[in-house]
Amino acid sequence: MLLDVKSVDKKFNGVYALKGLDFSLGEGEVHGLIGENGAGKSTFIKILGGVYKRDGGSILWNGKDLPEVIRPEESRKLGINIIFQDNVLIPAFTGMENICLGRPYPVKGGLIQWKEMEREAAAKAAELGIHLDLKRPVSMMSPAQKKCVEIVRAMMSDCKLLILDEPTASLSDKETNLLFSIVRNLKAKGTSVLYVTHRLEEIMELTDRVTVLRNGTLVSTVDTAGTSRKELVRLMSGNEAASGVEDAETGKDAESKLQGGATDKISGKGGVKQTVSSEAEKTDIQGAELLGTGAEGRIGKTALEVHGIRSKDGIVRGVDLNVKSGQITGMFGLCGSGRTEFLECIYGTRKLAGGEVAIGGKTTTRPTPSESIRQGMAFICEDRRGKAMIPSFTVEENMMLSSIDRYTKGGWFQKRAACKKAADMIKVLKIKCIGTSQPAKELSGGNQQKVVFAKALLTEPSIWLCDEPTQAVDVATRQEIHRLLKEEAKKGKAVLYVSSDLTELLEVADEVAVMACGRVRKTFENKDLKPTDVLACCYEAEREETDR
């Protein structure tokens, strides 16, 4: 075995994040690692990468016992490289410059041999089947291209184990397929891959074995070929939450294949069967008291009107859209279509070159975040760690960021009232944390996302802008987020929901607006809507743009 982990423990503030973990991985194996948020996946890979030291147990690497404390650079020298969900790149540097960071630069006559470095990086990229302009600044690259830069950088050394943490979270289907081909290429060359994800269809398609963690402990390691998505969900949840999951071998159709391997059965309101029936869907009495049960979903008046929106950077190029109260309007587009930028224009974090935004009949041509919040708008942005929260702040402090004025009297912050409200939100949203004073950076990704939603809920919004709100969260948390937004719509709130997961969008949305090349091309009523209809609209729009 390349890697053999025995009885590894890790504690934070006296609480076990990992307890008695056993794990093994062979040479040239693609091994999946799954579990709900807070299961211990991130803690485990950070121990392997030298970010955390283990508190107990042993790790054998190529048969040799590793010391309890290893530094990240020592881990890399052993041949262990981690590509985290959030890119660790310098935006102003080129692809080549980022690839060569941390490596000794070739020097001749006192001068750095940039051409030689460029040739080495290009040769490694070609060897991996990656075709990329390495002279281009990373800031101008797509998420998939950035991921490729990180893979090339990891493979520039003698990489024996590549750990990929939620690698497809921000990738389109086409880009995901490219990543899959790279992983298969690495496997063929004998490199082991530890693949961490919440997307079970990727686990079923790509891995040889899969390990399931729950609450910091090992549940099971199984051969992928001998299991099913339904069984994996059952192992993760520890209950019968898998009863609504279609086995990977059934329910396939031509439409889902177009989405890069999604295997859900066409049926119901949105044309796609919901993948998980989890405990999160059950009515929580305490949550109902605080969040409200809402009225029956009735579509009301237009809550948000957008006319001719254009961004100064030229990405958004004249968008008209109406979002009604009591309705979830989905927005889908291929990578680079301008979906995220459009939401930023509405909220006021991206400058406008023209157009106007009307909320409840009040029109502005220069929206700002503070004014948007005052008018009842909440924005759940895609980059939660970089833009939606402050990781070093506590859970309570993050929840209060957008509503601190509501807990201030006479210039004094009402700490007791804020702490009580934060504690209430922890119970309602089932946030796994030690308490309100725990730093947000110590929470799992899914629980951090719940903190972001709690922050938004405390502003009592009437309009929700959601950009990839379930990105990199487990199946149970995904269902909880869906339930929350559906409840908000039932109460008469308006929801604009952007997602690159078409299957998810068709399950949640009442209508789907298709965005391509910076414009909304068409809005479909989500009644018997098929994925092929939406994808055909996207590709047709891109073809028309190319022909211009």
Side-chain angles (χ1 to χ4, degrees):
M1 282 292 173
L2 177 67
L3 176 67
D4 196 9
V5 174
K6 297 290 185 184
S7 303
V8 162
D9 295 336
K10 179 62 184 176
K11 291 189 286 188
F12 294 101
N13 299 318
V15 177
Y16 279 101
L18 290 176
K19 187 172 184 180
L21 178 64
D22 295 333
F23 177 85
S24 64
L25 184 144
E27 292 185 13
E29 177 185 1
V30 180
H31 195 118
L33 182 64
I34 62 174
E36 295 186 347
N37 293 313
K41 304 184 297 297
S42 294
T43 300
F44 177 49
I45 65 176
K46 286 177 180 177
I47 288 174
L48 296 178
V51 179
Y52 295 154
K53 85 173 191 68
R54 65 184 186 274
D55 295 327
S58 64
I59 298 178
L60 294 178
W61 177 255
N62 268 332
K64 296 181 180 179
D65 199 2
L66 294 184
E68 189 174 271
V69 180
I70 59 172
R71 296 190 301 273
E73 58 268 29
E74 292 172 331
S75 177
R76 287 192 292 272
K77 285 180 181 178
L78 290 170
I80 301 173
N81 283 280
I82 304 176
I83 297 180
F84 291 102
Q85 178 185 339
D86 298 317
N87 294 313
V88 185
L89 299 169
I90 299 177
F93 279 20
T94 65
M96 184 272 291
E97 290 167 339
N98 271 284
I99 287 169
C100 295
L101 276 177
R103 303 183 69 245
Y105 286 7
V107 177
K108 188 175 181 180
L111 298 174
I112 296 174
Q113 302 300 295
W114 294 106
K115 290 290 184 183
E116 182 180 339
M117 292 167 61
E118 188 177 318
R119 282 194 298 270
E120 289 179 1
K124 179 59 68 173
E127 179 188 327
L128 296 171
I130 294 173
H131 306 287
L132 196 62
D133 180 6
L134 297 179
K135 296 179 181 179
R136 193 178 189 187
V138 163
S139 61
M140 298 177 64
M141 292 184 180
S142 69
Q145 291 170 331
K146 292 175 183 176
K147 195 67 67 179
C148 287
V149 168
E150 290 197 287
I151 291 174
V152 174
R153 182 170 65 187
M155 300 307 296
M156 289 292 284
S157 57
D158 183 21
C159 180
K160 295 181 174 66
L161 170 60
L162 181 64
I163 302 175
L164 297 173
D165 183 16
E166 297 288 354
T168 64
S170 58
L171 305 188
S172 68
D173 293 335
K174 184 177 180 181
E175 292 168 334
T176 295
N177 289 333
L178 171 63
L179 178 69
F180 283 7
S181 68
I182 294 170
V183 171
R184 292 186 180 108
N185 191 6
L186 292 173
K187 174 182 169 67
K189 295 178 183 298
T191 302
S192 300
V193 177
L194 180 56
Y195 195 90
V196 184
T197 186
H198 289 300
R199 298 183 175 182
L200 298 185
E201 64 271 17
E202 296 178 7
I203 290 290
M204 299 302 298
E205 181 176 345
L206 199 60
T207 65
D208 302 306
R209 291 191 298 157
V210 55
T211 290
V212 182
L213 303 185
R214 185 170 70 240
N215 297 327
T217 61
L218 172 68
V219 176
S220 183
T221 296
V222 297
D223 291 331
T224 307
T227 190
S228 65
R229 294 200 308 158
K230 181 177 180 179
E231 175 63 12
L232 293 178
V233 172
R234 188 189 67 78
L235 291 172
M236 282 193 294
S237 61
N239 55 36
E240 297 306 314
S243 60
V245 179
E246 289 289 334
D247 286 349
E249 296 79 9
T250 62
K252 294 184 179 180
D253 51 62
E255 288 82 7
S256 63
K257 288 178 183 176
L258 281 172
Q259 300 171 66
T263 57
D264 299 302
K265 206 171 193 176
I266 299 295
S267 69
K269 170 191 120 181
V272 179
K273 185 170 182 177
Q274 192 163 330
T275 55
V276 178
S277 174
S278 72
E279 292 298 315
E281 291 181 295
K282 297 179 180 179
T283 302
D284 184 285
I285 296 174
Q286 185 178 20
E289 290 173 353
L290 283 162
L291 288 177
T293 55
E296 289 300 316
R298 293 183 180 177
I299 297 174
K301 297 179 179 179
T302 299
L304 173 67
E305 297 178 77
V306 178
H307 299 294
I309 283 291
R310 292 180 291 112
S311 60
K312 278 194 173 180
D313 55 19
I315 295 176
V316 181
R317 298 188 281 173
V319 176
D320 295 317
L321 186 70
N322 292 339
V323 182
K324 295 180 180 179
S325 59
Q327 185 177 53
I328 298 179
T329 297
M331 177 170 279
F332 181 80
L334 302 176
C335 189
S337 62
R339 303 163 306 180
T340 294
E341 293 82 0
F342 174 54
L343 294 191
E344 291 173 347
C345 285
I346 296 173
Y347 193 65
T349 55
R350 186 172 291 265
K351 291 183 179 180
L352 300 186
E356 58 185 29
V357 177
I359 301 174
K362 185 177 180 181
T363 302
T364 179
T365 56
R366 293 182 180 178
T368 63
S370 58
E371 184 60 29
S372 294
I373 292 171
R374 279 194 291 271
Q375 292 191 41
M377 187 181 291
F379 183 24
I380 307 295
C381 60
E382 182 179 16
D383 182 8
R384 64 171 168 259
R385 293 183 185 89
K387 297 179 180 179
M389 61 183 293
I390 302 176
S392 60
F393 277 23
T394 67
V395 170
E396 177 193 330
E397 289 167 342
N398 270 287
M399 286 184 185
M400 297 297 148
L401 284 175
S402 297
S403 56
I404 192 168
D405 56 323
R406 295 171 184 243
Y407 298 91
T408 303
K409 279 187 179 181
W412 293 92
F413 180 60
Q414 305 298 300
K415 174 71 173 175
R416 185 175 297 179
C419 187
K420 183 180 183 304
K421 179 57 72 172
D424 288 342
M425 296 307 299
I426 288 172
K427 292 177 183 177
V428 170
L429 299 180
K430 301 174 186 175
I431 301 172
K432 292 181 181 178
C433 62
I434 297 171
T436 60
S437 60
Q438 184 177 6
K441 64 183 178 183
E442 295 180 0
L443 305 187
S444 67
N447 286 299
Q448 288 179 350
Q449 187 72 332
K450 289 182 180 181
V451 171
V452 172
F453 267 93
K455 179 187 72 172
L457 281 167
L458 291 178
T459 66
E460 300 178 4
S462 58
I463 299 171
W464 289 81
L465 305 181
C466 299
D467 188 11
E468 303 285 4
T470 61
Q471 178 177 280
V473 302
D474 63 52
V475 288
T477 301
R478 175 177 290 210
Q479 293 302 311
E480 290 173 17
I481 291 172
H482 290 174
R483 178 188 64 85
L484 187 153
L485 292 174
K486 287 177 180 178
E487 288 289 340
E488 289 290 286
K490 284 183 180 179
K491 291 190 289 184
K493 310 297 178 66
V495 181
L496 179 54
Y497 192 109
V498 168
S499 177
S500 57
D501 186 336
L502 185 52
T503 301
E504 175 187 23
L505 204 59
L506 292 179
E507 166 56 33
V508 174
D510 298 297
E511 62 178 11
V512 177
V514 177
M515 193 160 186
C517 305
R519 299 182 179 91
V520 171
R521 300 301 174 139
K522 187 173 183 179
T523 299
F524 294 92
E525 183 183 359
N526 193 8
K527 185 177 181 182
D528 299 322
L529 181 61
K530 295 186 173 112
T532 45
D533 298 330
V534 178
L535 290 170
C537 183
C538 290
Y539 292 128
E540 179 64 20
E542 290 209 336
R543 186 189 63 79
E544 290 175 358
E545 192 70 21
T546 303
D547 291 344
R548 286 186 179 182

